[in-house]
Amino acid sequence: MSLYAPNPSPFSGSPAGLAALDERARDIFRRIVESYLQTGEPVGSRTLSMTGVSLSPASIRNTMQDLTLAGLLGAPHTSAGRIPTHAGLRLFVDGLLEIGDLGTEERREIDARLAGRGRSFDEALNEASSLLSGLAGGASIVASPIREAGVKHVEFVALGHDQALAVLVGDDGSVENRLMPLKAGVTPSTLTEASNFLNARLKGRPLHEARTEMRTELDAARRELDAAAARLVEDGMAAWSGGAERERSLIVRGRANLLHDRETAEDLEKVRILFDDLEQKEQLIGLLDGVSTAQGVRIFIGAETRLFSLSGSAVIAAPYMTGRQRVLGAIGVIGPARLNYARIIPLVDYTARVLGRMLDGQET
């Protein structure tokens, strides 16, 4: 399986692809991007001529202008230098990036901190987030798994004449409780009837698997069920179905790291926007859920995801999964587009693999 799963890029139709660049343009483009990722500074023809390019400054400038017209480079402010656009970064990551490998010490640290005996599921997720944030020098995000345990027991408990507690107990011992309003005419026998109906059909099956089938079956069973009990069943299914997404945790660590990057710190408005983006739990979980469909690390740069289109940030993320390739969740790093892709890609990938192995057998 490939370490990195390239994204279908929305930019592929506009700027020049690698096939359209001759050897000279490709070499200059690569040098500009590598210099920018290392220093964060615009790169000029004079700087390039000092890196071993066997061309005159005038020829270098002409090539840089061609790359700018192709949409791969941009000129910030009034600087004579160039920096890669988000489209240029995407082209570089997909076609020219040489991905490094983790050192022995980093592997040992990840193994030691994640694979400790007796660590609980939540502790492992928190440790993975803290670890990745520290090693990558950016903000880390971890989405907890979608709960897919089978249903062990269902019950509706009256809390008064106008309110009930809907209780769902999973095979893994998890318990979901939802307060529900009771409509007029609901009696204790109605609550029992609704509970029995669900217990007979849900027991041992994951809720997500039974949801659609249950709604179809409920339509056919309305003649047998009391009308109030049928409403309870519907309301209970709706409450539990929505609950799984709302209860999923999103761990974010290392926001302060984003302020240590000189280029990012100079643009406080982008930092503010990025921090606002990091508070969008549902959108971030949705982004990470999309990562779960990839066989490898996924990268999103700037406007490739609506969530970070304004802040121009980048996300490097990978799914963590069991030994049977069942995806549990996703883990990643967020930072400015000028991330150290060559280092962070293998870091995210290895952390996800170790986390998956550590959590294998603890699925919830």
Side-chain angles (χ1 to χ4, degrees):
M1 180 173 64
S2 173
L3 176 67
Y4 166 51
N7 294 14
S9 174
F11 299 114
S12 58
S14 50
L18 282 178
L21 303 181
D22 59 28
E23 185 176 347
R24 179 174 70 180
R26 188 178 303 193
D27 179 56
I28 289 176
F29 174 66
R30 178 184 56 78
R31 290 172 185 267
I32 290 174
V33 176
E34 288 177 346
S35 176
Y36 172 72
L37 293 179
Q38 182 177 1
T39 68
E41 299 291 340
V43 182
S45 57
R46 183 179 298 275
T47 300
L48 284 174
S49 64
M50 297 171 63
T51 64
V53 178
S54 56
L55 294 171
S56 68
S59 296
I60 294 174
R61 283 194 296 271
N62 289 336
T63 302
M64 292 173 65
Q65 179 64 20
D66 290 341
L67 291 169
T68 302
L69 292 174
L72 300 176
L73 299 180
H77 312 299
T78 57
S79 170
R82 295 291 187 271
I83 64 173
T85 61
H86 289 163
L89 285 173
R90 165 57 60 193
L91 185 67
F92 174 82
V93 167
D94 286 348
L96 294 175
L97 178 66
E98 295 182 5
I99 299 175
D101 197 5
L102 292 184
T104 302
E105 290 303 314
E106 285 181 320
R107 289 174 179 267
R108 286 176 179 169
E109 181 177 359
I110 295 171
D111 290 339
R113 288 180 60 177
L114 290 188
R117 290 184 179 274
R119 190 182 297 281
S120 72
F121 194 89
D122 290 338
E123 286 174 337
L125 293 180
N126 274 285
E127 187 64 29
S129 179
S130 176
L131 169 67
L132 197 54
S133 171
L135 291 177
S140 66
I141 47 174
V142 180
S144 65
I146 298 174
R147 307 277 178 171
E148 294 186 341
V151 175
K152 183 177 182 180
H153 182 72
V154 173
E155 189 168 356
F156 294 101
V157 181
L159 299 180
H161 70 280
D162 62 352
Q163 195 174 57
L165 182 68
V167 183
L168 183 91
V169 182
D171 286 337
D172 61 347
S174 62
V175 179
E176 286 193 33
N177 299 314
R178 297 287 180 270
L179 287 174
M180 297 169 47
L182 283 182
K183 297 179 180 178
V186 175
T187 64
S189 62
T190 299
L191 294 173
T192 302
E193 186 179 5
S195 297
N196 291 341
F197 179 84
L198 284 170
N199 277 316
R201 290 157 178 81
L202 287 180
K203 193 167 185 178
R205 302 173 63 190
L207 185 64
H208 77 94
E209 178 185 300
R211 188 181 305 146
T212 303
E213 183 180 326
M214 275 289 301
R215 286 181 178 139
T216 302
E217 188 171 343
L218 181 60
D219 290 336
R222 286 182 187 278
R223 292 186 297 273
E224 301 174 18
L225 274 173
D226 178 271
R231 284 198 301 271
L232 264 178
V233 170
E234 265 188 327
D235 292 344
M237 287 291 292
W240 289 316
S241 296
E245 290 301 317
R246 288 195 296 269
E247 292 299 320
R248 289 181 66 196
S249 65
L250 179 77
I251 305 169
V252 182
R253 295 281 187 276
R255 289 180 177 87
N257 292 338
L258 299 172
L259 295 173
H260 295 163
D261 181 271
R262 181 176 61 186
E263 182 196 13
T264 303
E266 287 176 353
D267 194 339
L268 294 180
E269 178 61 16
K270 282 190 175 181
V271 173
R272 184 193 67 76
I273 293 173
L274 176 55
F275 279 20
D276 287 344
D277 291 339
L278 293 177
E279 298 302 321
Q280 303 302 310
K281 174 182 174 182
E282 290 184 6
Q283 291 188 55
L284 272 173
I285 287 179
L287 175 67
L288 292 180
D289 282 348
V291 169
S292 299
T293 63
Q295 295 296 310
V297 179
R298 290 285 299 275
I299 299 172
F300 303 91
I301 302 174
E304 290 180 2
T305 168
R306 291 178 58 190
L307 182 60
F308 298 113
S309 59
L310 294 179
S311 60
S313 305
V315 182
I316 300 175
Y320 56 91
M321 60 188 70
T322 68
R324 294 187 295 274
Q325 301 299 298
R326 176 179 176 273
V327 173
L328 298 175
I331 183 169
V333 171
I334 295 176
R338 191 181 65 82
L339 284 171
N340 186 341
Y341 296 93
R343 168 176 158 74
I344 295 179
I345 288 174
L347 183 61
V348 169
D349 178 73
Y350 189 74
T351 303
R353 291 174 187 270
V354 175
L355 182 61
R357 289 199 300 267
M358 188 266 156
L359 297 179
D360 204 357
Q362 299 185 34
E363 298 179 48
T364 58

